[in-house]
Amino acid sequence: MDDILYLVHRIPYPPNKGDKIRSFHILKFLSRHYRVHLGTFIDDESDLQHLEMLKQWATRVKAIRISPVLRKCLSLTGFLTREALSNRYYACPEMQRWVDDTLKQHQISRVLLFSSPMAQFVDGAQVERIAQAGSGIKRVMDFVDVDSQKWFQYAACHRFPMSYVYRREGRLLRQYELAIAQRFDASVFVSENEAELFRGFAGSIASKVLSVPNGVDTQAFDPARAYENPFPDAVKALVFTGAMDYWANIEAVSWFVRQVWPKVSTDNPGARFYIVGSKPTEAVRKLQEVAGVVVTGSVPEIKPYLAHAHACVAPLRIARGIQNKVLEALAMGKTVIATPEAMEGIGGLSGCENLALVTGDPDEMARAVLFAMSSPTVPATEAACRHYVERHFSWQSHLSRLLDILR
């Protein structure tokens, strides 16, 4: 069994948010084929308790605790060094020493990076010499999303001075993404749409740009299981799930409550909109002042909320890659009312179109929500939707592509 170095910007456990779901399933998959040397950061103190769990899948673990506040301050030095702020945020001499020592002391044949800022730890002269010496080391960059495009989207939604900061970040990160893609053996994205977008400006290296989509743990997200109902009796719940300190999610629920929910609650006063996710910001908590809106904060499990929801919404207007929240809801056989942006990486839903109502118009979305809330669940349609997810979003089949790339 060969050794692989796997560097991840955030501890890949527990799999309770978008990036951690992907990085965890990759870690678990890699452990079946390699001795994994895992380097990662912990930006939430509550995650410290999970370090021991990582030993199930990694031979060695280097996890460095970082303070988001201090790191944001450090990232500002990027204005002086003319670097992307994201790269400066994760700059860490301690991690660099660990990576260097790992490469010296172990027969590392493969390096997999998760999220572009982690590339800085294997982009130095030492690794270049190893790669050029023909020793067999291979570097694969899992960009996940085209992050630079996300910052350009943020810039378009903000006023100066933040629009300038975000545009600068997009420009510098785009330059860095292209430089990494040029030097590394392969670049991977979470959807074919993201890969195709990157190929559009990758030029001669487009052939090294590939897609490895996300999957769904359909054993965990199984509507046949019994879940205790988290909602009051007789409440018809509309559910949104996601980390509620993430700006795209904050913007999505704020827009939905402002533009869509009044039309829904007027026609269906008994309906309730549940915003389910950790670390809700003050702006999110204030949405509870609107009648019928409930903000749960962190919950032990989102599955009961999905299992007992009457329908789910994904009103994202800024989105990259594949939305796990949509796949998980579909795996539970729930109707999803989503914007085109939220569905972009998932593609056509042949056979279960009735369970994915796609629109970005507030009035149309309100009508779709009201229709879903008033319609009974049809077992045959629920089964068709779940079958679609099982057929097209299997972690095993998708990560087999990654194994081929690494080999």
Side-chain angles (χ1 to χ4, degrees):
M1 188 177 281
D2 290 340
D3 291 75
I4 189 169
L5 174 63
Y6 184 36
L7 301 181
V8 187
H9 72 299
R10 183 181 290 118
I11 180 173
Y13 194 86
N16 56 4
K17 60 191 300 183
D19 63 285
K20 294 172 76 170
I21 292 170
R22 181 175 174 87
S23 61
F24 166 69
H25 281 283
I26 290 175
L27 171 63
K28 189 164 68 167
F29 185 81
L30 290 176
S31 69
R32 301 174 198 153
H33 305 277
Y34 294 95
R35 286 185 296 271
V36 182
H37 302 258
L38 173 67
T40 190
F41 293 105
I42 297 178
D43 59 6
D44 185 333
E45 192 170 343
S46 65
D47 280 340
L48 289 168
Q49 63 184 305
H50 303 299
L51 270 175
E52 196 65 26
M53 289 289 292
L54 294 177
K55 295 179 181 178
Q56 294 183 56
W57 307 289
T59 302
R60 295 170 64 244
V61 178
K62 177 65 173 180
I64 297 175
R65 175 83 170 94
I66 60 174
S67 163
V69 173
L70 293 178
R71 287 282 155 172
K72 286 177 182 177
C73 294
L74 172 65
S75 70
L76 295 177
T77 62
F79 284 111
L80 301 176
T81 60
R82 298 182 179 180
E83 294 176 84
L85 304 186
S86 304
N87 286 358
R88 293 303 302 160
Y89 185 98
Y90 287 102
C92 178
E94 182 181 354
M95 180 62 76
Q96 187 66 68
R97 286 192 295 272
W98 182 81
V99 169
D100 290 345
D101 289 343
T102 299
L103 292 173
K104 288 176 184 176
Q105 297 171 14
H106 300 271
Q107 295 296 313
I108 301 296
S109 62
R110 303 289 185 269
V111 178
L112 177 62
L113 299 313
F114 187 97
S115 190
S116 58
M118 301 306 288
Q120 63 187 294
F121 299 110
V122 292
D123 197 34
Q126 174 187 335
V127 181
E128 291 291 345
R129 284 196 299 272
I130 295 173
Q132 291 171 9
S135 59
I137 192 169
K138 187 169 190 175
R139 290 176 295 178
V140 175
M141 181 72 241
D142 185 1
F143 285 106
V144 188
D145 304 324
V146 184
D147 271 349
S148 56
Q149 192 69 19
K150 174 188 70 178
W151 292 109
F152 288 133
Q153 287 180 307
Y154 284 4
C157 297
H158 288 79
R159 297 177 179 177
F160 186 85
M162 293 312 299
S163 61
Y164 164 77
V165 174
Y166 292 151
R167 195 171 295 108
R168 175 191 183 275
E169 185 69 2
R171 177 174 52 81
L172 292 178
L173 201 54
R174 175 68 53 82
Q175 293 173 4
Y176 187 67
E177 288 167 345
L178 289 170
I180 291 300
Q182 178 72 46
R183 292 193 287 271
F184 284 20
D185 295 279
S187 298
V188 170
F189 291 89
V190 74
S191 72
E192 185 55 29
N193 282 359
E194 292 292 289
E196 191 58 33
L197 172 65
F198 195 77
R199 290 185 196 113
F201 42 78
S204 61
I205 57 171
S207 62
K208 297 197 296 180
V209 178
L210 307 161
S211 64
V212 176
N214 275 2
V216 183
D217 185 346
T218 51
Q219 290 186 337
F221 289 88
D222 185 352
R225 291 189 174 189
Y227 300 95
E228 186 175 348
N229 191 349
F231 307 120
D233 292 342
V235 164
K236 280 193 172 182
L238 182 69
V239 169
F240 174 93
T241 61
M244 294 319 303
D245 58 347
Y246 180 50
W247 188 79
N249 286 342
I250 297 168
E251 198 278 337
V253 295
S254 299
W255 175 82
F256 183 82
V257 169
R258 185 173 63 250
Q259 298 292 333
V260 181
W261 185 246
K263 303 176 181 67
V264 175
S265 59
T266 297
D267 281 22
N268 190 342
R272 296 290 181 269
F273 177 41
Y274 279 77
I275 301 170
V276 183
S278 61
K279 300 181 180 178
T281 63
E282 180 63 25
V284 174
R285 289 194 296 269
K286 282 179 69 67
L287 296 177
Q288 293 187 108
E289 297 173 4
V290 177
V293 177
V294 181
V295 178
T296 69
S298 182
V299 296
E301 280 280 0
I302 65 164
K303 299 179 192 74
Y305 289 86
L306 293 175
H308 292 279
H310 201 76
C312 299
V313 289
L316 294 152
R317 299 192 299 161
I318 295 176
R320 302 244 53 87
I322 290 177
Q323 295 302 314
N324 294 296
K325 57 174 64 66
V326 173
L327 294 181
E328 290 165 354
L330 292 174
M332 297 292 279
K334 296 301 174 181
T335 300
V336 178
I337 302 94
T339 55
E341 291 86 348
M343 298 297 293
E344 190 176 76
I346 294 175
L349 294 169
S350 175
C352 55
E353 292 87 348
N354 290 339
L355 285 194
L357 308 173
V358 183
T359 177
D361 178 80
D363 291 333
E364 289 183 3
M365 182 169 282
R367 286 194 292 270
V369 169
L370 287 166
F371 176 78
M373 298 290 277
S374 63
S375 303
T377 300
V378 180
T381 310
E382 177 184 280
C385 190
R386 182 169 170 81
H387 179 62
Y388 177 87
V389 172
E390 289 173 333
R391 189 168 71 251
H392 293 284
F393 291 96
S394 159
W395 277 115
Q396 176 63 34
S397 62
H398 287 177
L399 292 181
S400 293
R401 300 187 198 178
L402 181 62
L403 191 62
D404 290 340
I405 294 166
L406 286 166
R407 287 173 173 170

PDB file of all heavy atoms in Angstrom, residues 230-242:
ATOM      1  N   PRO A 230     -39.248  16.601  14.884  1.00  0.00           N
ATOM      2  CA  PRO A 230     -38.781  17.779  15.639  1.00  0.00           C
ATOM      3  C   PRO A 230     -39.768  18.952  15.597  1.00  0.00           C
ATOM      4  O   PRO A 230     -39.528  19.970  16.249  1.00  0.00           O
ATOM      5  CB  PRO A 230     -37.483  18.140  14.914  1.00  0.00           C
ATOM      6  CG  PRO A 230     -37.753  17.744  13.490  1.00  0.00           C
ATOM      7  CD  PRO A 230     -38.633  16.527  13.546  1.00  0.00           C
ATOM      8  N   PHE A 231     -40.852  18.813  14.835  1.00  0.00           N
ATOM      9  CA  PHE A 231     -41.803  19.911  14.670  1.00  0.00           C
ATOM     10  C   PHE A 231     -43.023  19.714  15.575  1.00  0.00           C
ATOM     11  O   PHE A 231     -43.385  18.567  15.889  1.00  0.00           O
ATOM     12  CB  PHE A 231     -42.266  20.007  13.211  1.00  0.00           C
ATOM     13  CG  PHE A 231     -41.153  20.080  12.207  1.00  0.00           C
ATOM     14  CD1 PHE A 231     -41.014  19.120  11.215  1.00  0.00           C
ATOM     15  CD2 PHE A 231     -40.221  21.118  12.262  1.00  0.00           C
ATOM     16  CE1 PHE A 231     -39.991  19.180  10.288  1.00  0.00           C
ATOM     17  CE2 PHE A 231     -39.189  21.189  11.338  1.00  0.00           C
ATOM     18  CZ  PHE A 231     -39.066  20.219  10.357  1.00  0.00           C
ATOM     19  N   PRO A 232     -43.671  20.795  15.964  1.00  0.00           N
ATOM     20  CA  PRO A 232     -44.927  20.671  16.720  1.00  0.00           C
ATOM     21  C   PRO A 232     -45.968  19.906  15.910  1.00  0.00           C
ATOM     22  O   PRO A 232     -45.935  19.904  14.675  1.00  0.00           O
ATOM     23  CB  PRO A 232     -45.352  22.127  16.941  1.00  0.00           C
ATOM     24  CG  PRO A 232     -44.095  22.924  16.809  1.00  0.00           C
ATOM     25  CD  PRO A 232     -43.258  22.198  15.805  1.00  0.00           C
ATOM     26  N   ASP A 233     -46.892  19.268  16.602  1.00  0.00           N
ATOM     27  CA  ASP A 233     -47.936  18.504  15.929  1.00  0.00           C
ATOM     28  C   ASP A 233     -48.714  19.379  14.963  1.00  0.00           C
ATOM     29  O   ASP A 233     -49.000  20.552  15.251  1.00  0.00           O
ATOM     30  CB  ASP A 233     -48.907  17.908  16.958  1.00  0.00           C
ATOM     31  CG  ASP A 233     -48.245  16.824  17.796  1.00  0.00           C
ATOM     32  OD1 ASP A 233     -47.194  16.308  17.357  1.00  0.00           O
ATOM     33  OD2 ASP A 233     -48.756  16.523  18.888  1.00  0.00           O
ATOM     34  N   ALA A 234     -49.058  18.797  13.821  1.00  0.00           N
ATOM     35  CA  ALA A 234     -49.913  19.422  12.804  1.00  0.00           C
ATOM     36  C   ALA A 234     -49.238  20.569  12.051  1.00  0.00           C
ATOM     37  O   ALA A 234     -49.881  21.216  11.227  1.00  0.00           O
ATOM     38  CB  ALA A 234     -51.224  19.923  13.414  1.00  0.00           C
ATOM     39  N   VAL A 235     -47.948  20.830  12.314  1.00  0.00           N
ATOM     40  CA  VAL A 235     -47.246  21.896  11.592  1.00  0.00           C
ATOM     41  C   VAL A 235     -46.733  21.361  10.258  1.00  0.00           C
ATOM     42  O   VAL A 235     -46.113  20.292  10.199  1.00  0.00           O
ATOM     43  CB  VAL A 235     -46.066  22.451  12.421  1.00  0.00           C
ATOM     44  CG1 VAL A 235     -45.111  23.251  11.545  1.00  0.00           C
ATOM     45  CG2 VAL A 235     -46.587  23.333  13.537  1.00  0.00           C
ATOM     46  N   LYS A 236     -47.036  22.095   9.192  1.00  0.00           N
ATOM     47  CA  LYS A 236     -46.446  21.789   7.891  1.00  0.00           C
ATOM     48  C   LYS A 236     -45.182  22.626   7.752  1.00  0.00           C
ATOM     49  O   LYS A 236     -45.266  23.857   7.660  1.00  0.00           O
ATOM     50  CB  LYS A 236     -47.425  22.092   6.766  1.00  0.00           C
ATOM     51  CG  LYS A 236     -48.478  21.019   6.557  1.00  0.00           C
ATOM     52  CD  LYS A 236     -49.210  21.213   5.246  1.00  0.00           C
ATOM     53  CE  LYS A 236     -50.123  20.029   4.961  1.00  0.00           C
ATOM     54  NZ  LYS A 236     -50.818  20.164   3.652  1.00  0.00           N
ATOM     55  N   ALA A 237     -44.026  21.953   7.756  1.00  0.00           N
ATOM     56  CA  ALA A 237     -42.751  22.663   7.804  1.00  0.00           C
ATOM     57  C   ALA A 237     -42.084  22.711   6.438  1.00  0.00           C
ATOM     58  O   ALA A 237     -41.992  21.703   5.735  1.00  0.00           O
ATOM     59  CB  ALA A 237     -41.820  22.003   8.808  1.00  0.00           C
ATOM     60  N   LEU A 238     -41.621  23.899   6.097  1.00  0.00           N
ATOM     61  CA  LEU A 238     -40.765  24.120   4.926  1.00  0.00           C
ATOM     62  C   LEU A 238     -39.358  24.318   5.478  1.00  0.00           C
ATOM     63  O   LEU A 238     -39.161  25.119   6.404  1.00  0.00           O
ATOM     64  CB  LEU A 238     -41.224  25.362   4.176  1.00  0.00           C
ATOM     65  CG  LEU A 238     -40.475  25.725   2.889  1.00  0.00           C
ATOM     66  CD1 LEU A 238     -40.754  24.704   1.805  1.00  0.00           C
ATOM     67  CD2 LEU A 238     -40.875  27.120   2.425  1.00  0.00           C
ATOM     68  N   VAL A 239     -38.369  23.598   4.941  1.00  0.00           N
ATOM     69  CA  VAL A 239     -37.046  23.550   5.578  1.00  0.00           C
ATOM     70  C   VAL A 239     -35.939  24.007   4.632  1.00  0.00           C
ATOM     71  O   VAL A 239     -35.929  23.656   3.445  1.00  0.00           O
ATOM     72  CB  VAL A 239     -36.751  22.118   6.081  1.00  0.00           C
ATOM     73  CG1 VAL A 239     -35.288  21.959   6.503  1.00  0.00           C
ATOM     74  CG2 VAL A 239     -37.660  21.770   7.250  1.00  0.00           C
ATOM     75  N   PHE A 240     -35.022  24.797   5.205  1.00  0.00           N
ATOM     76  CA  PHE A 240     -33.750  25.132   4.544  1.00  0.00           C
ATOM     77  C   PHE A 240     -32.651  24.643   5.467  1.00  0.00           C
ATOM     78  O   PHE A 240     -32.686  24.886   6.678  1.00  0.00           O
ATOM     79  CB  PHE A 240     -33.614  26.643   4.342  1.00  0.00           C
ATOM     80  CG  PHE A 240     -32.264  27.061   3.797  1.00  0.00           C
ATOM     81  CD1 PHE A 240     -32.060  27.198   2.434  1.00  0.00           C
ATOM     82  CD2 PHE A 240     -31.189  27.327   4.646  1.00  0.00           C
ATOM     83  CE1 PHE A 240     -30.820  27.578   1.923  1.00  0.00           C
ATOM     84  CE2 PHE A 240     -29.946  27.698   4.148  1.00  0.00           C
ATOM     85  CZ  PHE A 240     -29.770  27.826   2.786  1.00  0.00           C
ATOM     86  N   THR A 241     -31.641  23.951   4.923  1.00  0.00           N
ATOM     87  CA  THR A 241     -30.516  23.482   5.734  1.00  0.00           C
ATOM     88  C   THR A 241     -29.212  24.085   5.220  1.00  0.00           C
ATOM     89  O   THR A 241     -29.042  24.288   4.021  1.00  0.00           O
ATOM     90  CB  THR A 241     -30.404  21.944   5.708  1.00  0.00           C
ATOM     91  OG1 THR A 241     -30.181  21.505   4.361  1.00  0.00           O
ATOM     92  CG2 THR A 241     -31.670  21.289   6.242  1.00  0.00           C
ATOM     93  N   GLY A 242     -28.286  24.344   6.152  1.00  0.00           N
ATOM     94  CA  GLY A 242     -26.985  24.870   5.747  1.00  0.00           C
ATOM     95  C   GLY A 242     -26.310  25.601   6.886  1.00  0.00           C
ATOM     96  O   GLY A 242     -26.956  25.992   7.874  1.00  0.00           O
TER      97      GLY A 242
END
